[in-house]
Amino acid sequence: MSQIHSQTLLLPAEPVASPKELMLIDVTQPPARVASGQIIAGSVRPHPFGAEQWASGYGGRAVAVYCVHGQEVSQVVCGVLRDQGVAAVGLACDFEAWKDAGLAVEPVEATDA
């Protein structure tokens, strides 16, 4: 996997302003996602450790990457996506801060994780 890159961070309200142009990618590890029981509404959930394989599917799209704590996993995946030519940024908050701000979340079932 790629090293952690310096990256642009989006504030939670920014993706809400342009959801059609920005794809939200939840790279929370599956056990943590199941434990949380929720994700940001409309986000996609590829496995974080397969980013080099699935990155090409997001070429030409602006994406914002997040995880449950907004630290190492999302930063590394964001770096991998950038290495693969994807316009990737990280959210400036973690999932819990998004939820606490009253922004849209949806339930996730164990089978969807």
Side-chain angles (χ1 to χ4, degrees), residues 6-7 12 22 44 76:
S6 63
Q7 55 192 284
L22 185 69
V44 297
V76 170

Side-chain angles (χ1 to χ4, degrees), residues 26-36 45-49 108 110 112-113:
D26 177 353
V27 294
T28 303
Q29 294 184 46
R33 188 181 301 133
V34 170
S36 166
R45 303 171 299 277
H47 196 287
F49 300 126
V108 63
D112 294 334

Side-chain angles (χ1 to χ4, degrees), residues 72-91:
E72 199 169 293
V73 175
S74 60
Q75 292 173 16
V76 170
V77 171
C78 191
V80 169
L81 294 176
R82 289 172 142 195
D83 287 349
Q84 300 289 326
V86 177
V89 297
L91 286 182

